[in-house]
Structure formats: structure tokens, C-alpha cells
Amino acid sequence: MHTSFFAYESKELAQKREKESSDNFLSLNGIWKFNWVKDADARPVGFWKKDFNDKGWNNLTVPATWELNGYGTPVYSGVGFGWKGDKGLSFKKHPYVPVENNHVGSYRKEVVVPANWKGKDILVHLGSVYSNVYVWVNGKFVGYSEDSKLEAEFDLTPYLTPGEKNLIALQVFRWCDGSYFEDQDFFRYTGIMRDCYLYARNQNGIRDFRVTPDLDTDFQDGELDIDLILEGYNHIVLELFDAENRLVCSQEVTGKGNLSALMSVKNPSKWTAETPYLYTLYASVKDGVKIKEVIPLKVGFRKIEIKNSQLLVNGEPVLIKGANRHEMDPDKGYVVSRERMIQDVQLMKMFNINAVRTCHYPDDSFWYDLCDEYGLYVVAEANLESHGMGFKEASLAKDLTYQKTHLERNQRNVQRNFNHPCIILWSMGNECGDGVNFEACYKWIKNEDPSRYIHFEQAYDTGANTDVYCPMYPVYSRCKRYCEDSTKQKPFIMCEYAHAMGNALGDFGVYWKMIREYPKFQGGFIWDFVDQSPRWKGKNGVMIYAYDGDFDSYPTGDANYMDNGLVSPDRVPNPHMYEVGYYYQNIWTSLGDVSKGEINVYNENFFRDLSAYFMTWELLKDGVVIRSGRVEQLDVKPLETASLLLDWGKIDEKSEWLLNIKYIQKNREGLIPSGHVIAKNQLMLRSCDFAESFSSHTGKMSAEGTEIQVNDLNIKKLIVEGEDFVVRFDRVTGYIDKYSVGKTDLLKPGHVLSPNFWRAPTDNDYGAKLQHKYEVWRKPDIRLGKLSYNPSEDGSVVVVGEYEIPSVAAQLYIYYKINRDGAVRVTQKMIADKDKSVPNMFRFGMQMVMPYSFDQIMYYGRGPIENYSNRNSSTDLGLYHQTVDEQFYPYIRPQETGTKTDIRWWKQLDLSGRGLMFVSDAPFSASALHYTIESLDEGREKNQGHSQEVEKADLTNLLIDKCQMGLACIDSWAALPEPQYMIPYKDYEFTFLMIPIQGNIVLK
């Protein structure tokens, strides 16, 4: 395996770095004749012969996944080999694989090789073929390859005839013995997945080309250690150009075999993820003045070290704000276009992600080019995962029979990707167990590349074959123990953490508080970047994102376990992505001397100041912007804090005062557009006095007007009426079943205002089995004991419902104080039996089903996106005007969505401005959807739901909560939120006002 490069015939072409323009390049992408069979023993024989009749074969475009083009069905497996769901087949008899359902694809293509390639070496490049490939040319067998995530290259010179048509035939199996080493937790697609082409090389020239950058001990001056492997005797000219295309230095070497050169550069610009400065090194093979070939290579000067339990880049203990990324596209599977890759990098940079782990295999070479160019630290992982064999004695890592396999996959990963400055760690594989085979891999890599370090999760914190401690999903206490244990000397970088499945990543800030506190805790890689589901046709032709169980009658049982992304399959940021962007940001603001208008700005960057950004600030009074300003120049050096004075003026002692700070990109930089908010903070100058605010609204509840009438004669209803309103109670349930003001019904007929303790379980709720543990709260047996009313001295009427809830051993009281304007003060009070053991609940609050027409929301609280008690740091307090349609986020599987927290007041309105305003004596949460909880709740077990298939209800379901349980973060199979974000069984009391609004008018 050689490093990734292309040899051009001229300097001009080399400068463009577009191999497609070279006369030495011939694409094999496009239409191939294709035959697919279900079972391996039915594959065609002799199809590689030139006279084989393929008239009955189909056409298939290369590259392409079979399963997304009608050949077979997608299979996902989290743990276990790709055949585990196939009629219950789950054997582990390596190296054998099933014959039945081991699909085989056979390819044929005729190509005319350019006549002027005669006398040159001609090679075929097959970018990625899953799971293996056999190659024939003009009827002759050429070779075989597995290791599906790296290119297979074969020398076709003896088999091809330049100037004539040549037949290339390939055969690919769904499974092979290599599948035991490619048991990654992702969709198992088959086919040719990356670009394929022929290329020609001079018989004499550069066969491999390695560059190792280094910096001196002061990180000032640099060196390039250049290693060349030559075929024949050659004269090589090495020229280094800076980013402005100015020649920095040059050197010439002559000889054959292995040659080396050392280039010294005075104070070069350094490469980091923050400052991804690249030089270009040209290696030209010359014959006198004639150029025979030119190889361009991007070079970054940087130094990787481990000292004092920290991983250092150019001497600095950088924070790894990372994500794991599978190569996945919703329409093409493993076939990921260059445009899609650029989009992924752009999203990462815009959300402050600075590192990526290529889980769990080498990516397309272009991905590493992008990481070099735009600045992402890379953990480059080998294509090794034998998870299905377990981690104990059956692990293939312990079997010397497979040492060569382990070595080759690691060797090829290092050999191909060696020259990329973005790579700071080599990863030997994922979830393989540990043993002698990885010990051999570690030794080989350390000898081959002393300039980098090695990451291997299965060595844990004690193994000698990893340089960093890189666990998966450590709980917070485990993180703290490691950080505070002085005997643990390895840098701590989580290879996977914060399992972002569905509505998730509550408590994400807990990790980052510790990372910023403990020096050897340097971050980690979120699992994972993108939801893997393909676009599919669901019920009634509706587009869905499909997952296990949607494709055939043999599901693996993993459901939607492949959908753990920060972004959707189409790269729409999931709501939790914004929380990641916040905690990953590199600029932090805190208050200084408030009386002087002082703030402190901390620059968390290690290598750059803040001159690329300007700051804007806004002063808010009760959510309304009162004053604003802009600071054009920010003179804050890396890892330093500067104080700034802002002229925000005087603030009173009655209102809530907030200061919004944003840092904005001045000019486009790489893929980050001008105007992008790179960091932000909201600072509290004076908090809301909720008691005072609630009292002021209560005081507005008029005691004047027509006297309230109570109709107590109706045996089914208790009716409270005023001059322009009706509040009606059902005598069976005690709940309000009609609430009208004027001619407007505020409750949908047939529905009620009722207590609610349930939410549609999130994916992580299901993982922790909360749909079972908390089930008693889904529809508790609430029994009305007494419904009574009493007139009040202020002219209002108080109605009281008294309940027993035997299923949870609790008493419930709901008090309604109705004034002459039709406003209602509701108090929901639960008294728990302290001697009983009752599970936690999801929420404590009320549910009000309003007509669909109440589809406008105005509120003062956190927004604009959904947020939860332990995932709201990225959302700002403010005034927001939104629609109910905007509240629903279509997670791939339907679940709880749309909640807003820290609400001061909430208005639910129709287009004419009529509706209700809700106010409480403390911050509360609320949501409003055109969906019922039941429609988003799949029940005791997941039931193949898809958000796109859930039909809207003809209603607006409003939930007003004192509190709702937070969201899990650590993992999706057991984790719970931190205790302070749970809703334990105990006494609760929740009071809120419902104030009718007639013709609400919004002033800007």
C-alpha cells in the first residue's frame, strides 16, 4: 500500500490537483453490466470470458450500493454479524460464512485503454468494494482483495492491450471471511462504493512518497523529513511553496530505491485545527529539463507529543471537541459525494466541532484532504471490528491465526494516510477485544510512525498498547475517579460518549465542566455525527427514514439504534446539535463589575486571537431589546481573558434584565460564512421576581363586572358563568370540559383540562425501560371523590376537585378560582404516601386540548428551538412568536418533542389574536403540538413508528408543566438524567393562571 497521491504529467496540472484532467487517468465510473444472485452458489461461472453473453444482464451505475438500487434489502446490526437476522442464523464459525442469502454481484465493462499508455504501467484503482472483490481482465484472473474500506489496486499491465477494447470483470460477495473483521455497528450495504479508475505510470519514477513534519522544541522552526521509494534511477526536484504560491525552499536528490531528504524551514506557519495552514510540496521527476511526472502533496507543520498526561499539539493541550462520523448518505448509502463531505465539514466547523474519529474504518481519501484544508483533528481508525465474537477468549484478537489480518488492516491504514497533518492519533480498531494481535499492531505502528500516538479503546487504562485512555460512555463518576487518580498517567479522551439517539444529550454540560476542570481530561468524540437511516417509502407512499424492521421480515432486533446523529440523514441539525455547538464554543463571556458595564471575554482557542470576529450585544428588559451595540475589534490573545466596558446604561430594580453577547464571523473563513455566530452567552443582570410578576397578574383579575352565576342543578355538569364566559365542569371526572369566552371555545369539544404525568418516551427512555418502570403514570386511575364550589369574597368562585389515585397511592386536589373576567387560577396539588414505594414520573402538570385554530404561540422563555431542563444552555430567554407546526421536530422515531423551559408567560392564540395567556409563580415549561401524546407514544415496546407517518390531529394539544424529567445523555441503554432533573414521587403543587385574551396585537 502506498500513500494517497497522483502523479501528473506537468506542473500546471499538478497545481490544479484534478486527476480527472490528466491524460494518465481513465474513469471506470458509470454504467457496468450487472448480474445479481441471492445465493452464493448460484453465481454465474465464466462470466469473465470475453465471449460471455451478457445481453440479459442489467445495467448498474458504479459506484452504487446494491440494496438502495433494488438488489437485496438493507441490514443493520449493532452487535453481531450481518447474517444474524437472517432466519435466525447466527453462527460464528470463522472463517466460514453462509451460502444462502450471501448475495453475489458480477460486473462486466469494456474500456478502450488509450494507445499512448503503451510502455507505461497501468493500474486499476477500486476505491472501496464491500465485502470483497475478484478481478479478471480479458478473461484472465488478476487477483483478489478484501478490507472493504481501502482501495484495492492491481497492476493490469500484463493483461491490457492499449488502443483496443478490454474487458474488466469483477465479482463481489455480500459476505466473506473478512466480514468477521468488519462487524461495525452500521448499515451493512454491498457493492462498489467509491470511485474506480485506471491510471498510468512511467515505468521509472516515484512509487511511494512520505513526509514527516516536525518542529523544534520551541515550536518555531520546522523540518520536513521526506522519504521516497523510487523505481529505477531518477532525478527528483523537491520544491516547497507556501499558501500564496511563493517558493520557500527546494532540494534535489538523485538515485534509486529508497532515498531521503530533509528540508529545514525558518518559522513556518503552523498547522492546527484552528489555523490549518498548508504548504504544497512538489516532487518532480526530471530528465534534464524535461518533466516526466509531478506529485503534489499538501504539508502542514505540526508536532504531536504526550507530556504530563496530556496530548499536545504544537506544545498545547488542545481540547478534543469531537464527533464520530460514519460515511453515510440517505440516498446512496456508503456512496458519499464530495459535496456531501464538504457539507459535513462545514456543519462541523459551524458547530465548533474540531475533531473527528473515522469510525470504524478509513474514509475516502478526500475526507482527509478536507480535514487538512479546513482544520479537523483526526483519529484515523483501521477497518477492524470483530464485535460479534465478543471480547473474551473467542476474540479474534487473541488468535494468532489472524495476526496477519490484524496487521495488514492497520498497516494499510497507516501506509495510505501517512501524509495527512490532520491525523494526530492512529486507532487500531473498534470493539475487537484485545490480545497478542493488537500488541503486534501497536509495535508495528510505533516503529513505522514515531511522530504520532496510538488510540485503542479495548486496552482500557492499563494496557501497554494504547497511548491514551479512550473509553466508551463513561459515567460521570468514572470520569472523575480517573481524573483524580494520580497513578493514571495517560491522557483521557473518550472515543465515544454522549449517545445522541433521538431526543437526547441532556446533562451534556456535565462532561464539559469536568473536561475544563481536569487537565488530563481532554474531551472526546460524540456518538455520532449523522443519523444513518436511508430515505424509504413508508405507508401510503410517505417518505420516511427507514430502520431495522422496515425492509423485510427478518429484522435484527436493533430497531432505530443506528440513528444517533447530531444531524439528520439529510444533514438538518437535530435540536441537540445546538447544545453541542454551545459547549464546544471557544469564546466565553462572564460578568465583571456590573456597575461599570464590565464583561470578561475568555478566548479558549489555543493558537489564535479573536481578531476574526466582532461582538454584538443587546440589553433586554423583560425580553424586549432596549439598547444594543457592537465591538469591532476584540484584542484577546489565546487562552487569555480581556475585560470590556459596554455602555448599557441604567437598569431598574423591577424588571428582568438580560445581556445577550454574540461573536460573529467578520469575513468568510474556509467554509464558515461571514455573519455566522461562532459563540454566544446570555448573562443575567437582574432576574425575574416571579412572586411579584404573578402577584401583578393576579391583581389584574377583576373583581368588578357582572356577578358570576353557578348552575348547580345540572346532574352531569357544574356550570360557572359570567357576563361573557362559561367554565363547565364534568361531574364524573371533575375536569373542565368547556371553557368559552365570548363566542370562542378555548377547549376542543369532547376534551378536557386534565392532570398529566406522562410523555411519549424518548429513545433513551426506552433504553432505560422507563416505559415499563413508570407505566403506572401513563394513565393512572384518578378517581373523583368530591366536586364542590364556594363563592369568594372578591366575587370569584372557587371550584375544588378532590381525587384519590390508588395506583400511585396519592391524593390529588385541583383548585380553580374563576374571576368575573373568566380568568382561572388553577392549583394542582398532589400529596404522596411517604410509606409507599412508587416510581418516578415523567412530568407534573396539566394537559389542555384546544381547537386546532389556536396555532399561534407567543411566549417569554427559552428558545427558539425546543429545550429541556438539562438541555437548555444553548437557548436564550427572550420573546418568541412561533406556530404550533414549528414545535414538532420529526425525530426518526416519534417521541417527546417541542418543550420549552424557563417560561415567564405563554400565550396560545388563533390568527385573530384570541386565546389564553398562562402565567405561574415560578418558571414553568410548556409545549403545544398538533399531535396527541398517544400518537407519539409507541407503547410498552417500540413499534416501527416514523414521525412522517404520524398524522396530525385536528387539535392543539397544550401541555403546561411545573416540571418535566430531563433527557439522558451518557448512553441509550441504561442512562438516566442527573438526580436534580428527575421527577421523584413526592408532594407537588403547581399554580398557574389562565387569562383570556381578546385580539392580541404584537408591537415591534
Side-chain angles (χ1 to χ4, degrees):
M1 192 76 174
H2 59 78
T3 57
S4 179
F5 65 83
F6 190 85
Y8 295 86
E9 57 269 40
S10 71
K11 184 75 170 288
E12 291 72 25
L13 286 171
Q15 288 173 332
K16 293 180 180 178
R17 292 171 58 86
E18 296 172 357
K19 60 181 179 288
E20 294 80 5
S21 345
S22 170
D23 290 339
N24 292 328
F25 175 91
L26 180 62
S27 176
L28 296 179
N29 289 355
I31 300 298
W32 288 61
K33 300 301 290 185
F34 181 70
N35 172 271
W36 180 90
V37 296
K38 173 180 172 291
D39 302 322
D41 56 4
R43 65 190 184 277
V45 176
F47 77 98
W48 53 81
K49 297 177 180 178
K50 296 187 74 171
D51 60 356
F52 182 84
N53 185 354
D54 61 10
K55 297 296 183 184
W57 286 23
N58 296 329
N59 291 332
L60 182 67
T61 299
V62 168
T65 55
W66 298 350
E67 292 82 1
L68 297 181
N69 284 276
Y71 300 99
T73 54
V75 169
Y76 171 81
S77 178
V79 180
F81 303 109
W83 51 82
K84 77 171 188 179
D86 188 51
K87 297 184 179 179
L89 192 62
S90 60
F91 68 82
K92 303 175 183 179
K93 302 175 181 177
H94 56 85
Y96 303 105
V97 295
V99 172
E100 185 179 358
N101 283 319
N102 189 358
H103 311 154
V104 178
S106 303
Y107 298 77
R108 285 168 55 93
K109 187 179 185 72
E110 288 188 331
V111 295
V112 177
V113 177
N116 62 3
W117 284 15
K118 188 173 182 179
K120 294 185 176 183
D121 293 336
I122 304 171
L123 297 96
V124 65
H125 174 105
L126 306 174
S128 170
V129 188
Y130 195 95
S131 68
N132 63 355
V133 61
Y134 294 86
V135 182
W136 292 264
V137 172
N138 291 330
K140 295 181 180 180
F141 181 67
V142 174
Y144 169 83
S145 178
E146 51 190 58
D147 189 357
S148 67
K149 289 296 188 175
L150 281 173
E151 53 267 35
E153 293 195 341
F154 299 92
D155 186 351
L156 303 188
T157 312
Y159 306 95
L160 292 169
T161 306
E164 297 182 9
K165 277 187 179 181
N166 294 268
L167 173 69
I168 299 176
L170 310 173
Q171 196 162 69
V172 179
F173 286 66
R174 183 188 192 189
W175 303 316
C176 68
D177 61 342
S179 299
Y180 282 93
F181 301 94
E182 298 183 3
D183 189 32
Q184 291 94 345
D185 52 342
F186 68 154
F187 267 106
R188 315 299 173 90
Y189 292 124
T190 322
I192 301 173
M193 310 302 187
R194 296 181 191 153
D195 291 340
C196 298
Y197 53 88
L198 298 177
Y199 67 101
R201 296 293 309 278
N202 297 323
Q203 291 184 348
N204 284 355
I206 300 171
R207 289 297 173 262
D208 206 357
F209 181 24
R210 283 191 181 184
V211 174
T212 304
D214 198 10
L215 297 172
D216 63 20
T217 55
D218 295 324
F219 309 103
Q220 290 297 311
D221 298 334
E223 288 183 343
L224 290 182
D225 189 354
I226 303 167
D227 293 305
L228 299 163
I229 299 177
L230 307 180
E231 184 70 32
Y233 192 85
N234 293 273
H235 179 67
I236 312 296
V237 177
L238 300 167
E239 298 172 296
L240 184 69
F241 288 81
D242 65 15
E244 288 72 42
N245 202 32
R246 296 175 300 208
L247 181 65
V248 176
C249 60
S250 64
Q251 195 169 335
E252 299 185 18
V253 293
T254 303
K256 61 181 179 179
N258 295 351
L259 295 181
S260 62
L262 187 66
M263 281 186 164
S264 297
V265 180
K266 195 74 172 174
N267 194 23
S269 296
K270 315 304 188 295
W271 188 97
T272 71
E274 297 171 21
T275 58
Y277 192 96
L278 292 174
Y279 292 79
T280 305
L281 179 64
Y282 295 97
S284 302
V285 179
K286 284 191 169 183
D287 182 4
V289 295
K290 182 181 179 183
I291 291 178
K292 296 177 70 177
E293 68 178 20
V294 184
I295 298 174
L297 178 65
K298 293 295 183 180
V299 173
F301 286 91
R302 56 104 184 94
K303 188 183 188 75
I304 311 301
E305 300 172 286
I306 290 180
K307 291 182 178 179
N308 300 320
S309 301
Q310 291 180 312
L311 177 72
L312 308 179
V313 175
N314 299 348
E316 296 291 349
V318 297
L319 296 179
I320 301 300
K321 301 172 179 180
N324 285 273
R325 174 186 173 270
H326 270 302
E327 289 185 310
M328 202 66 68
D329 183 273
D331 301 306
K332 298 179 179 180
Y334 298 166
V335 182
V336 181
S337 69
R338 290 190 165 201
E339 292 76 17
R340 183 70 84 189
M341 287 187 249
I342 293 169
Q343 182 186 29
D344 285 353
V345 173
Q346 183 181 54
L347 282 165
M348 289 181 178
K349 297 296 287 186
M350 291 178 69
F351 281 89
N352 300 313
I353 293 171
N354 73 353
V356 62
R357 176 176 174 231
T358 65
C359 62
H360 299 293
Y361 42 77
D363 287 352
D364 188 301
S365 286
F366 186 66
W367 177 255
Y368 304 89
D369 291 341
L370 292 174
C371 295
D372 290 340
E373 181 178 358
Y374 295 111
L376 288 169
Y377 299 121
V378 173
V379 173
E381 194 147 272
N383 188 17
L384 259 175
E385 179 167 344
S386 53
H387 200 166
M389 298 303 298
F391 303 154
K392 297 182 180 179
E393 291 310 308
S395 167
L396 302 182
K398 305 179 189 299
D399 190 338
L400 284 171
T401 308
Y402 300 101
Q403 186 166 110
K404 183 179 179 182
T405 301
H406 286 77
L407 276 168
E408 284 183 343
R409 287 170 178 260
N410 272 283
Q411 289 164 349
R412 283 162 51 81
N413 181 42
V414 173
Q415 288 163 347
R416 189 257 239 164
N417 297 315
F418 190 92
N419 289 333
H420 291 283
C422 63
I423 296 173
I424 60 173
L425 292 168
W426 298 112
S427 174
M428 296 192 295
N430 182 67
E431 294 182 316
C432 301
D434 194 11
V436 291
N437 294 337
F438 282 107
E439 292 168 8
C441 292
Y442 180 87
K443 290 176 183 176
W444 184 91
I445 297 172
K446 294 296 280 189
N447 182 67
E448 190 76 2
D449 182 16
S451 73
R452 295 183 177 97
Y453 293 88
I454 296 174
H455 160 296
F456 187 54
E457 181 265 336
Q458 285 288 296
Y460 305 118
D461 61 330
T462 56
N465 55 333
T466 185
D467 297 319
V468 297
Y469 174 47
C470 45
M472 292 182 175
Y473 312 108
V475 298
Y476 305 125
S477 58
R478 178 180 166 192
C479 297
K480 186 174 183 180
R481 280 197 306 273
Y482 184 88
C483 292
E484 294 180 350
D485 187 341
S486 61
T487 69
K488 305 296 185 182
Q489 293 296 305
K490 292 175 180 175
F492 179 12
I493 300 171
M494 298 172 287
C495 72
E496 295 176 19
Y497 82 112
H499 203 266
M501 188 176 184
N503 193 353
L505 297 197
D507 295 325
F508 184 70
V510 177
Y511 278 120
W512 279 88
K513 182 179 179 182
M514 286 190 287
I515 290 165
R516 291 182 166 104
E517 178 181 356
Y518 294 106
K520 65 184 173 187
F521 196 4
Q522 289 185 256
F525 298 88
I526 293 167
W527 188 265
D528 60 351
F529 179 67
V530 61
D531 289 327
Q532 295 181 36
S533 281
R535 199 186 318 279
W536 207 254
K537 188 174 287 187
K539 299 171 185 176
N540 302 318
V542 173
M543 189 284 291
I544 62 171
Y545 295 119
Y547 54 83
D548 177 52
D550 288 327
F551 308 108
D552 56 25
S553 55
Y554 300 114
T556 60
D558 290 299
N560 63 320
Y561 197 70
M562 72 294 296
D563 292 315
N564 326 121
L566 297 176
V567 300
S568 76
D570 278 308
R571 275 53 178 186
V572 175
N574 288 323
H576 43 258
M577 175 64 134
Y578 293 90
E579 197 81 349
V580 171
Y582 174 79
Y583 280 107
Y584 276 10
Q585 70 187 21
N586 297 308
I587 311 173
W588 296 93
T589 315
S590 59
L591 290 173
D593 187 339
V594 175
S595 66
K596 297 179 180 177
E598 183 183 54
I599 61 169
N600 299 316
V601 180
Y602 174 61
N603 178 6
E604 196 174 76
N605 288 296
F606 288 85
F607 305 102
R608 61 181 299 170
D609 60 26
L610 301 186
S611 59
Y613 318 111
F614 64 86
M615 176 206 289
T616 63
W617 61 270
E618 292 179 331
L619 182 70
L620 282 68
K621 177 182 179 181
D622 294 330
V624 177
V625 177
I626 301 298
R627 286 184 285 277
S628 63
R630 173 169 169 151
V631 179
E632 194 66 38
Q633 298 299 325
L634 297 170
D635 184 16
V636 191
K637 295 178 181 179
L639 301 178
E640 290 191 1
T641 300
S643 295
L644 297 177
L645 297 180
L646 305 181
D647 184 18
W648 64 57
K650 294 182 179 180
I651 61 174
D652 62 38
E653 295 298 319
K654 296 181 179 180
S655 306
E656 179 168 67
W657 291 89
L658 301 164
L659 182 66
N660 287 347
I661 304 289
K662 293 180 181 179
Y663 299 91
I664 299 172
Q665 188 81 35
K666 289 180 181 177
N667 303 306
R668 187 176 184 92
E669 184 177 326
L671 295 173
I672 300 177
S674 171
H676 173 67
V677 177
I678 204 77
K680 67 171 188 173
N681 280 106
Q682 184 173 71
L683 306 174
M684 181 73 71
L685 300 179
R686 184 186 183 278
S687 61
C688 177
D689 186 332
F690 283 92
E692 180 181 320
S693 174
F694 187 71
S695 177
S696 69
H697 282 98
T698 303
K700 295 175 185 176
M701 295 179 68
S702 175
E704 300 178 359
T706 304
E707 184 177 345
I708 298 174
Q709 302 296 316
V710 180
N711 181 350
D712 193 21
L713 300 177
N714 190 311
I715 61 171
K716 293 185 177 181
K717 310 291 180 182
L718 174 65
I719 304 169
V720 180
E721 295 181 273
E723 181 179 0
D724 200 31
F725 73 89
V726 174
V727 181
R728 189 178 72 191
F729 295 82
D730 183 279
R731 290 190 183 273
V732 175
T733 65
Y735 303 146
I736 296 176
D737 69 356
K738 181 179 178 63
Y739 186 8
S740 62
V741 177
K743 298 179 180 180
T744 304
D745 281 326
L746 300 172
L747 265 174
K748 184 175 174 64
H751 294 268
V752 297
L753 171 67
S754 60
N756 179 51
F757 312 96
W758 192 254
R759 73 181 181 197
T762 67
D763 284 312
N764 289 352
D765 293 340
Y766 273 105
K769 303 298 182 185
L770 300 187
Q771 80 279 15
H772 297 157
K773 295 175 182 177
Y774 294 1
E775 189 171 26
V776 68
W777 294 103
R778 186 191 299 267
K779 290 185 178 179
D781 181 17
I782 303 177
R783 300 176 184 177
L784 177 66
K786 182 180 179 182
L787 182 67
S788 61
Y789 76 93
N790 286 294
S792 181
E793 292 182 359
D794 60 7
S796 62
V797 170
V798 177
V799 177
V800 181
E802 302 177 30
Y803 301 86
E804 294 286 338
I805 318 178
S807 55
V808 295
Q811 295 174 300
L812 182 70
Y813 299 88
I814 307 180
Y815 304 87
Y816 308 88
K817 185 174 183 180
I818 306 162
N819 81 346
R820 295 182 180 187
D821 288 336
V824 183
R825 173 174 173 159
V826 181
T827 298
Q828 176 190 13
K829 182 178 182 180
M830 188 180 82
I831 300 175
D833 187 337
K834 312 303 185 296
D835 296 327
K836 300 292 184 180
S837 177
V838 178
N840 292 359
M841 63 192 87
F842 278 130
R843 65 193 338 148
F844 185 85
M846 301 284 279
Q847 177 175 233
M848 183 174 187
V849 182
M850 302 180 73
Y852 185 96
S853 58
F854 290 91
D855 61 354
Q856 304 294 307
I857 299 168
M858 292 185 65
Y859 73 98
Y860 179 22
R862 291 197 178 274
I865 63 169
E866 69 173 32
N867 52 90
Y868 292 80
S869 57
N870 62 346
R871 197 192 75 202
N872 62 9
S873 298
S874 61
T875 52
D876 291 336
L877 290 168
L879 297 178
Y880 298 97
H881 185 183
Q882 300 173 346
T883 66
V884 172
D885 278 336
E886 290 173 324
Q887 308 308 298
F888 179 74
Y889 186 77
Y891 291 101
I892 287 176
R893 191 195 63 76
Q895 55 199 280
E896 158 64 33
T897 182
T899 291
K900 307 291 172 60
T901 63
D902 285 344
I903 295 169
R904 281 75 170 119
W905 53 258
W906 179 283
K907 295 179 182 179
Q908 199 70 41
L909 309 168
D910 63 14
L911 284 173
S912 70
R914 297 186 181 90
L916 284 172
M917 179 179 182
F918 296 82
V919 183
S920 183
D921 56 359
F924 63 99
S925 63
S927 66
L929 300 172
H930 290 315
Y931 300 90
T932 63
I933 294 176
E934 292 76 15
S935 70
L936 303 178
D937 181 356
E938 295 191 273
R940 288 182 57 81
E941 305 298 336
K942 292 183 179 182
N943 193 29
Q944 220 62 40
H946 300 88
S947 287
Q948 293 80 5
E949 293 176 337
V950 180
E951 294 185 5
K952 279 188 188 179
D954 183 25
L955 52 79
T956 295
N957 194 45
L958 176 64
L959 300 173
I960 303 293
D961 296 321
K962 176 183 179 68
C963 49
Q964 184 186 158
M965 188 183 109
L967 304 168
C969 174
I970 296 170
D971 61 46
S972 295
W973 44 92
L976 296 171
E978 288 289 87
Q980 63 267 35
Y981 301 112
M982 303 292 285
I983 313 298
Y985 175 70
K986 64 177 185 178
D987 295 349
Y988 288 96
E989 185 171 320
F990 177 37
T991 298
F992 61 91
L993 299 178
M994 299 190 295
I995 304 170
I997 297 173
Q998 298 288 330
N1000 184 83
I1001 296 175
V1002 180
L1003 298 177
K1004 294 185 178 179

